[in-house]
Protein backbone atom coordinates (compact mmCIF):
# COMPACT_ATOMS: atom_id res chain seq x y z
CA UNK A 1 0.00 0.00 0.00
CA UNK A 2 1.51 3.31 -1.10
CA UNK A 3 1.88 5.97 1.59
CA UNK A 4 0.97 9.49 0.53
CA UNK A 5 1.72 12.60 2.58
CA UNK A 6 -0.95 15.29 2.29
CA UNK A 7 -0.03 18.70 3.69
CA UNK A 8 -3.04 20.81 4.60
CA UNK A 9 -5.04 17.60 4.49
CA UNK A 10 -7.80 18.84 6.79
CA UNK A 11 -8.57 21.86 4.59
CA UNK A 12 -11.35 22.12 2.03
CA UNK A 13 -9.67 20.51 -0.99
CA UNK A 14 -7.23 18.51 1.14
CA UNK A 15 -9.92 16.68 3.11
CA UNK A 16 -11.85 15.69 -0.03
CA UNK A 17 -8.61 14.47 -1.61
CA UNK A 18 -7.78 12.41 1.48
CA UNK A 19 -11.21 10.73 1.19
CA UNK A 20 -10.60 9.88 -2.48
CA UNK A 21 -7.07 8.61 -1.73
CA UNK A 22 -8.38 6.30 0.97
CA UNK A 23 -11.19 5.13 -1.32
CA UNK A 24 -8.49 4.22 -3.86
CA UNK A 25 -6.54 2.16 -1.31
CA UNK A 26 -3.72 4.58 -0.48
CA UNK A 27 -2.49 4.99 3.08
CA UNK A 28 -2.65 8.70 3.97
CA UNK A 29 -0.53 10.75 6.34
CA UNK A 30 -1.82 14.27 7.00
CA UNK A 31 0.12 17.30 8.22
CA UNK A 32 -2.00 20.31 9.13
CA UNK A 33 -1.41 23.21 11.53
CA UNK A 34 -5.18 23.76 11.96
CA UNK A 35 -4.79 27.45 11.03
CA UNK A 36 -7.85 27.35 8.76
CA UNK A 37 -9.69 24.20 9.80
CA UNK A 38 -10.64 22.12 12.85
CA UNK A 39 -9.76 18.67 14.14
CA UNK A 40 -13.39 17.55 13.67
CA UNK A 41 -12.61 17.16 9.95
CA UNK A 42 -10.35 14.20 10.80
CA UNK A 43 -13.22 12.40 12.53
CA UNK A 44 -15.51 13.13 9.60
CA UNK A 45 -13.01 11.71 7.10
CA UNK A 46 -12.98 8.54 9.18
CA UNK A 47 -16.81 8.52 9.29
CA UNK A 48 -16.94 8.66 5.47
CA UNK A 49 -14.19 6.12 4.70
CA UNK A 50 -14.19 3.92 7.83
CA UNK A 51 -10.48 4.56 8.07
CA UNK A 52 -8.64 7.17 10.10
CA UNK A 53 -5.66 8.79 8.38
CA UNK A 54 -2.42 9.19 10.32
CA UNK A 55 -2.39 12.78 11.53
CA UNK A 56 0.32 15.20 12.68
CA UNK A 57 -0.52 18.66 13.93
CA UNK A 58 2.52 20.46 12.58
CA UNK A 59 3.63 23.45 10.55
CA UNK A 60 5.37 22.65 7.24
CA UNK A 61 7.40 25.84 7.65
CA UNK A 62 9.26 24.11 10.50
CA UNK A 63 11.65 21.82 8.66
CA UNK A 64 12.44 19.66 11.70
CA UNK A 65 8.73 18.83 12.08
CA UNK A 66 8.61 17.80 8.44
CA UNK A 67 11.77 15.71 8.77
CA UNK A 68 10.35 13.81 11.74
CA UNK A 69 7.30 12.75 9.70
CA UNK A 70 9.53 11.48 6.88
CA UNK A 71 11.67 9.68 9.48
CA UNK A 72 8.60 7.86 10.80
CA UNK A 73 7.18 6.74 7.42
CA UNK A 74 8.32 5.49 4.03
CA UNK A 75 6.54 8.10 1.92
CA UNK A 76 5.84 7.33 -1.74
CA UNK A 77 4.41 10.69 -2.78
CA UNK A 78 3.43 14.14 -1.53
CA UNK A 79 0.36 16.24 -2.32
CA UNK A 80 0.98 19.78 -1.11
CA UNK A 81 -2.04 21.91 -0.20
CA UNK A 82 -0.75 23.81 2.85
CA UNK A 83 -0.90 27.47 1.82
CA UNK A 84 -2.78 30.69 2.47
CA UNK A 85 -5.24 31.24 -0.38
CA UNK A 86 -7.34 34.41 -0.12
CA UNK A 87 -6.77 36.89 -2.96
CA UNK A 88 -7.87 40.02 -1.05
CA UNK A 89 -6.06 39.12 2.14
CA UNK A 90 -2.85 38.41 0.21
CA UNK A 91 -2.75 42.01 -1.04
CA UNK A 92 -3.14 43.30 2.52
CA UNK A 93 -0.62 40.81 3.98
CA UNK A 94 2.03 40.19 1.31
CA UNK A 95 4.90 39.17 3.60
CA UNK A 96 2.78 36.63 5.45
CA UNK A 97 1.76 35.07 2.12
CA UNK A 98 5.28 34.95 0.67
CA UNK A 99 6.72 33.56 3.90
CA UNK A 100 4.06 30.89 4.41
CA UNK A 101 3.46 29.74 0.85
CA UNK A 102 7.05 29.72 -0.37
CA UNK A 103 8.95 28.53 2.71
CA UNK A 104 6.63 25.54 3.15
CA UNK A 105 7.11 24.56 -0.50
CA UNK A 106 10.89 24.93 -0.35
CA UNK A 107 11.07 22.83 2.83
CA UNK A 108 9.17 19.95 1.24
CA UNK A 109 11.28 20.03 -1.93
CA UNK A 110 14.46 20.09 0.18
CA UNK A 111 13.33 16.99 2.07
CA UNK A 112 12.47 15.21 -1.19
CA UNK A 113 15.88 16.14 -2.65
CA UNK A 114 17.85 15.11 0.44
CA UNK A 115 16.11 11.73 0.65
CA UNK A 116 16.03 11.00 -3.09
CA UNK A 117 12.23 10.88 -2.98
CA UNK A 118 9.85 11.58 -5.82
CA UNK A 119 6.21 12.10 -6.90
CA UNK A 120 5.13 15.62 -5.94
CA UNK A 121 1.70 17.12 -6.68
CA UNK A 122 1.38 20.89 -6.25
CA UNK A 123 -1.83 22.75 -5.58
CA UNK A 124 -1.54 25.60 -8.09
CA UNK A 125 -4.07 28.01 -9.49
CA UNK A 126 -5.50 29.53 -12.64
CA UNK A 127 -4.45 32.88 -11.14
CA UNK A 128 -1.04 32.25 -12.78
CA UNK A 129 -2.65 33.24 -16.11
CA UNK A 130 -3.61 36.68 -14.83
CA UNK A 131 -6.11 38.47 -17.08
CA UNK A 132 -6.17 35.98 -19.99
CA UNK A 133 -5.68 37.01 -23.63
CA UNK A 134 -8.07 34.33 -24.90
CA UNK A 135 -10.87 32.19 -23.49
CA UNK A 136 -11.10 29.37 -22.70
CA UNK A 137 -7.61 29.23 -21.19
CA UNK A 138 -5.33 26.46 -22.45
CA UNK A 139 -2.07 25.29 -20.88
CA UNK A 140 -0.31 27.10 -23.73
CA UNK A 141 -1.58 30.46 -22.49
CA UNK A 142 1.21 32.69 -21.16
CA UNK A 143 1.86 32.87 -17.44
CA UNK A 144 1.55 36.57 -16.69
CA UNK A 145 2.34 39.06 -14.00
CA UNK A 146 0.06 38.02 -11.17
CA UNK A 147 -2.92 40.19 -10.25
CA UNK A 148 -2.50 39.33 -6.55
CA UNK A 149 0.20 38.29 -4.08
CA UNK A 150 -1.56 34.93 -3.71
CA UNK A 151 -1.34 34.41 -7.48
CA UNK A 152 2.31 35.42 -7.42
CA UNK A 153 3.12 32.80 -4.77
CA UNK A 154 1.66 30.15 -7.09
CA UNK A 155 3.58 31.51 -10.08
CA UNK A 156 6.87 31.62 -8.14
CA UNK A 157 6.04 28.24 -6.60
CA UNK A 158 5.76 26.64 -10.02
CA UNK A 159 9.10 28.17 -11.06
CA UNK A 160 10.77 26.77 -7.92
CA UNK A 161 9.34 23.30 -8.64
CA UNK A 162 10.36 23.38 -12.31
CA UNK A 163 13.94 24.34 -11.43
CA UNK A 164 14.06 21.68 -8.70
CA UNK A 165 12.78 18.96 -11.04
CA UNK A 166 15.45 19.86 -13.58
CA UNK A 167 18.27 19.94 -11.05
CA UNK A 168 17.41 17.05 -8.71
CA UNK A 169 15.45 14.54 -10.79
CA UNK A 170 12.16 15.10 -8.95
CA UNK A 171 8.96 14.40 -10.90
CA UNK A 172 6.13 16.82 -10.22
CA UNK A 173 2.72 17.88 -11.50
CA UNK A 174 1.12 21.27 -10.81
CA UNK A 175 -2.66 21.31 -10.98
CA UNK A 176 -3.93 24.77 -11.90
CA UNK A 177 -7.33 24.90 -10.24
CA UNK A 178 -10.12 27.09 -11.35
CA UNK A 179 -12.84 27.63 -8.64
CA UNK A 180 -13.56 24.68 -6.34
CA UNK A 181 -17.02 24.62 -4.76
CA UNK A 182 -19.50 22.19 -3.23
CA UNK A 183 -19.15 19.56 -0.54
CA UNK A 184 -19.04 15.80 -0.11
CA UNK A 185 -22.41 14.12 -0.71
CA UNK A 186 -22.45 12.96 2.92
CA UNK A 187 -22.36 16.63 4.08
CA UNK A 188 -19.69 15.51 6.58
CA UNK A 189 -16.91 17.58 4.99
CA UNK A 190 -17.06 20.83 3.02
CA UNK A 191 -15.66 24.36 2.92
CA UNK A 192 -15.24 25.56 6.49
CA UNK A 193 -13.46 28.92 6.52
CA UNK A 194 -12.53 30.22 9.95
CA UNK A 195 -13.68 33.82 10.33
CA UNK A 196 -15.11 35.85 7.45
CA UNK A 197 -15.17 33.81 4.20
CA UNK A 198 -12.87 35.00 1.43
CA UNK A 199 -14.50 32.90 -1.30
CA UNK A 200 -17.91 33.37 -2.94
CA UNK A 201 -19.75 30.15 -2.12
CA UNK A 202 -19.22 30.02 1.66
CA UNK A 203 -20.29 33.67 1.78
CA UNK A 204 -23.41 32.72 -0.22
CA UNK A 205 -24.26 29.82 2.09
CA UNK A 206 -23.55 31.81 5.26
CA UNK A 207 -25.76 34.64 4.00
CA UNK A 208 -28.53 32.14 3.23
CA UNK A 209 -28.12 30.72 6.76
CA UNK A 210 -28.37 34.18 8.34
CA UNK A 211 -24.77 34.14 9.62
CA UNK A 212 -23.89 37.01 7.27
CA UNK A 213 -26.30 39.88 6.80
CA UNK A 214 -25.62 40.46 3.13
CA UNK A 215 -23.55 39.13 0.25
CA UNK A 216 -21.42 41.67 -1.62
CA UNK A 217 -21.06 41.23 -5.38
CA UNK A 218 -17.77 42.84 -6.38
CA UNK A 219 -18.51 44.82 -9.53
CA UNK A 220 -21.30 44.72 -12.13
CA UNK A 221 -19.50 46.82 -14.73
CA UNK A 222 -17.31 44.14 -16.30
CA UNK A 223 -17.61 43.51 -20.04
CA UNK A 224 -19.64 40.33 -19.47
CA UNK A 225 -23.26 39.53 -20.29
CA UNK A 226 -24.60 40.58 -16.88
CA UNK A 227 -21.66 42.77 -15.84
CA UNK A 228 -20.38 40.42 -13.11
CA UNK A 229 -17.13 38.45 -13.12
CA UNK A 230 -17.06 34.98 -14.70
CA UNK A 231 -15.33 31.94 -13.21
CA UNK A 232 -15.09 28.20 -13.82
CA UNK A 233 -16.71 26.51 -10.80
CA UNK A 234 -15.65 22.88 -10.32
CA UNK A 235 -17.07 20.49 -7.72
CA UNK A 236 -14.44 19.75 -5.08
CA UNK A 237 -14.90 15.97 -5.42
CA UNK A 238 -14.12 16.18 -9.15
CA UNK A 239 -11.07 18.28 -8.26
CA UNK A 240 -9.98 15.75 -5.62
CA UNK A 241 -10.18 12.97 -8.19
CA UNK A 242 -7.88 14.94 -10.49
CA UNK A 243 -5.19 14.66 -7.79
CA UNK A 244 -5.56 10.88 -7.75
CA UNK A 245 -5.21 10.80 -11.54
CA UNK A 246 -2.10 13.02 -11.41
CA UNK A 247 -0.55 10.96 -8.61
CA UNK A 248 -1.11 7.70 -10.50
CA UNK A 249 0.44 9.27 -13.60
CA UNK A 250 3.64 9.86 -11.62
CA UNK A 251 3.62 6.53 -9.76
CA UNK A 252 3.07 4.67 -13.06
CA UNK A 253 5.80 6.76 -14.72
CA UNK A 254 3.42 7.93 -17.44
CA UNK A 255 4.51 11.59 -17.20
CA UNK A 256 6.11 12.98 -20.33
CA UNK A 257 8.27 15.57 -18.55
CA UNK A 258 9.72 15.87 -15.05
CA UNK A 259 7.49 18.91 -14.49
CA UNK A 260 3.98 19.02 -15.94
CA UNK A 261 0.97 21.25 -15.35
CA UNK A 262 -2.73 20.86 -16.13
CA UNK A 263 -5.84 23.05 -16.04
CA UNK A 264 -8.41 21.58 -13.69
CA UNK A 265 -11.86 23.02 -14.30
CA UNK A 266 -15.14 22.27 -16.05
CA UNK A 267 -14.55 24.25 -19.23
CA UNK A 268 -17.60 26.41 -18.59
CA UNK A 269 -17.74 29.98 -17.29
CA UNK A 270 -20.46 31.09 -14.87
CA UNK A 271 -21.04 34.67 -13.68
CA UNK A 272 -21.49 35.68 -10.05
CA UNK A 273 -25.13 36.59 -10.68
CA UNK A 274 -25.72 33.22 -12.35
CA UNK A 275 -24.30 31.52 -9.25
CA UNK A 276 -26.68 33.48 -7.02
CA UNK A 277 -29.68 32.75 -9.23
CA UNK A 278 -28.86 29.03 -9.54
CA UNK A 279 -28.28 28.73 -5.79
CA UNK A 280 -31.66 30.36 -5.13
CA UNK A 281 -33.40 28.10 -7.63
CA UNK A 282 -32.00 24.71 -6.57
CA UNK A 283 -32.34 25.42 -2.84
CA UNK A 284 -35.65 27.30 -3.08
CA UNK A 285 -34.63 30.43 -1.19
CA UNK A 286 -33.76 34.10 -1.69
CA UNK A 287 -30.36 35.67 -1.03
CA UNK A 288 -29.82 39.17 0.31
CA UNK A 289 -27.07 40.64 -1.88
CA UNK A 290 -25.88 44.03 -3.08
CA UNK A 291 -23.57 45.26 -5.82
CA UNK A 292 -20.40 46.97 -4.59
CA UNK A 293 -17.19 48.15 -6.25
CA UNK A 294 -14.67 45.84 -7.85
CA UNK A 295 -12.14 44.06 -5.62
CA UNK A 296 -8.38 44.48 -6.12
CA UNK A 297 -6.76 41.41 -7.67
CA UNK A 298 -9.88 40.10 -9.43
CA UNK A 299 -9.82 39.39 -13.17
CA UNK A 300 -12.90 39.78 -15.35
CA UNK A 301 -13.27 36.31 -16.82
CA UNK A 302 -11.46 33.04 -16.28
CA UNK A 303 -12.46 29.55 -17.40
CA UNK A 304 -10.55 26.51 -18.57
CA UNK A 305 -9.95 24.54 -21.69
CA UNK A 306 -9.68 21.08 -20.12
CA UNK A 307 -8.83 19.13 -23.30
CA UNK A 308 -5.26 18.32 -22.25
CA UNK A 309 -6.15 17.31 -18.67
CA UNK A 310 -9.00 15.13 -19.95
CA UNK A 311 -6.69 13.32 -22.37
CA UNK A 312 -3.45 13.07 -20.39
CA UNK A 313 -4.91 12.38 -16.94
CA UNK A 314 -7.82 10.27 -18.23
CA UNK A 315 -10.00 12.47 -16.01
CA UNK A 316 -13.10 14.58 -16.49
CA UNK A 317 -15.65 16.36 -14.32
CA UNK A 318 -18.82 14.47 -13.49
CA UNK A 319 -20.79 16.71 -11.09
CA UNK A 320 -22.73 19.71 -12.39
CA UNK A 321 -23.19 23.22 -10.99
CA UNK A 322 -26.65 22.62 -9.58
CA UNK A 323 -25.53 19.58 -7.60
CA UNK A 324 -22.46 21.51 -6.38
CA UNK A 325 -24.66 24.33 -5.05
CA UNK A 326 -27.11 21.88 -3.48
CA UNK A 327 -24.28 20.08 -1.70
CA UNK A 328 -22.77 23.38 -0.47
CA UNK A 329 -26.10 24.35 1.09
CA UNK A 330 -26.61 20.89 2.61
CA UNK A 331 -23.15 21.18 4.15
CA UNK A 332 -23.88 24.67 5.50
CA UNK A 333 -27.13 23.48 7.08
CA UNK A 334 -25.20 20.65 8.70
CA UNK A 335 -23.02 23.27 10.42
CA UNK A 336 -25.93 25.28 11.81
CA UNK A 337 -28.04 22.39 13.16
Amino acid sequence: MKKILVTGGLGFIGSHTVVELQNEGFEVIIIDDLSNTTLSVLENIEAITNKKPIFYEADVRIKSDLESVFDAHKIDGVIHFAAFKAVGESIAKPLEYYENNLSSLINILMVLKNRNLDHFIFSSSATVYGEPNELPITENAPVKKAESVYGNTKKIGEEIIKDSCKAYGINAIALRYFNPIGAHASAKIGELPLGVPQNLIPYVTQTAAGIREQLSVFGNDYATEDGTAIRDYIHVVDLAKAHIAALKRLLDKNNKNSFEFFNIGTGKGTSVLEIIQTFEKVNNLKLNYKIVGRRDGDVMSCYADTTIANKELQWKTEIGLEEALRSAWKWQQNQTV
Side-chain angles (χ1 to χ4, degrees):
M1 191 186 290
K2 298 284 189 187
K3 281 191 176 181
I4 307 302
L5 175 65
V6 181
T7 69
L10 296 187
F12 175 40
I13 304 166
S15 61
H16 287 83
T17 302
V18 168
V19 164
E20 297 305 320
L21 283 166
Q22 293 196 154
N23 286 344
E24 288 284 325
F26 291 99
E27 186 170 351
V28 180
I29 300 142
I30 294 172
I31 296 179
D32 202 301
D33 66 357
L34 304 180
S35 62
N36 196 32
T37 187
T38 66
L39 206 48
S40 64
V41 177
L42 188 63
E43 297 160 20
N44 291 332
I45 290 170
E46 183 181 12
I48 293 167
T49 63
N50 295 314
K51 184 172 184 189
K52 191 169 189 176
I54 299 163
F55 174 69
Y56 293 89
E57 183 178 345
D59 189 332
V60 215
R61 290 174 295 183
I62 302 169
K63 200 174 172 192
S64 57
D65 286 1
L66 200 55
E67 294 274 11
S68 66
V69 175
F70 278 84
D71 288 341
H73 305 277
K74 180 187 174 295
I75 290 169
D76 298 292
V78 177
I79 304 179
H80 178 47
F81 293 106
F84 295 157
K85 62 182 180 66
V87 167
E89 183 184 65
S90 75
I91 293 166
K93 298 180 174 180
L95 289 178
E96 288 87 342
Y97 268 68
Y98 285 122
E99 192 269 338
N100 182 72
N101 292 6
L102 298 181
S103 66
S104 59
L105 171 63
I106 290 166
N107 280 348
I108 294 168
L109 291 171
M110 288 284 275
V111 171
L112 292 177
K113 172 184 83 79
N114 293 341
R115 295 170 185 250
N116 293 313
L117 295 174
D118 206 1
H119 311 133
F120 182 69
I121 309 292
F122 180 58
S123 170
S124 191
S125 168
T127 55
V128 301
Y129 296 115
E131 189 77 68
N133 296 341
E134 292 181 310
L135 291 166
I137 301 168
T138 72
E139 284 83 350
N140 295 322
V143 169
K144 293 186 176 178
K145 181 181 185 303
E147 298 285 328
S148 69
V149 174
Y150 163 72
N152 207 28
T153 67
K154 294 302 182 186
K155 178 172 174 274
I156 295 167
E158 285 195 16
E159 290 169 359
I160 291 168
I161 297 163
K162 185 179 180 181
D163 291 341
S164 300
C165 289
K166 187 177 178 183
Y168 310 123
I170 296 166
N171 286 284
I173 293 175
L175 298 181
R176 294 174 175 172
Y177 311 161
F178 281 68
N179 289 67
I181 62 169
H184 193 267
S186 66
K188 291 184 185 298
I189 55 173
E191 193 165 6
L192 185 64
L194 301 185
V196 179
Q198 301 285 336
N199 294 333
L200 175 62
I201 300 305
Y203 217 109
V204 165
T205 60
Q206 288 189 15
T207 303
I211 298 166
R212 306 286 158 197
E213 186 181 340
Q214 193 172 50
L215 170 69
S216 293
V217 175
F218 296 106
N220 68 341
D221 56 350
Y222 288 104
T224 61
E225 196 165 316
D226 62 22
T228 63
I230 289 174
R231 297 290 181 269
D232 186 336
Y233 295 94
I234 176 172
H235 195 290
V236 66
V237 172
D238 281 334
L239 175 58
K241 288 177 178 176
H243 292 78
I244 316 304
L247 179 66
K248 287 180 176 178
R249 182 177 174 88
L250 293 183
L251 291 172
D252 296 341
K253 304 194 183 309
N254 288 331
N255 52 310
K256 294 176 179 173
N257 298 293
S258 60
F259 175 66
E260 296 181 318
F261 50 88
F262 299 102
N263 288 342
I264 306 298
T266 67
K268 181 180 185 299
T270 306
S271 75
V272 176
L273 282 182
E274 284 177 308
I275 287 286
I276 290 169
Q277 289 155 6
T278 307
F279 182 85
E280 289 179 330
K281 183 184 83 174
V282 301
N283 296 307
N284 194 28
L285 46 77
K286 294 299 288 180
L287 276 175
N288 181 26
Y289 69 91
K290 66 174 177 179
I291 309 294
V292 298
R294 295 186 187 188
R295 181 174 60 177
D296 286 347
D298 280 344
V299 300
M300 177 178 72
S301 196
C302 181
Y303 55 95
D305 183 320
T306 62
T307 307
I308 292 175
N310 297 157
K311 178 174 179 285
E312 294 295 332
L313 297 178
Q314 296 292 292
W315 162 91
K316 64 179 185 350
T317 57
E318 296 173 344
I319 308 170
L321 180 65
E322 291 193 359
E323 181 51 40
L325 294 174
R326 265 193 293 266
S327 68
W329 179 230
K330 187 180 171 190
W331 157 251
Q332 180 66 61
Q333 289 174 299
N334 219 19
Q335 307 316 297
T336 51
V337 169

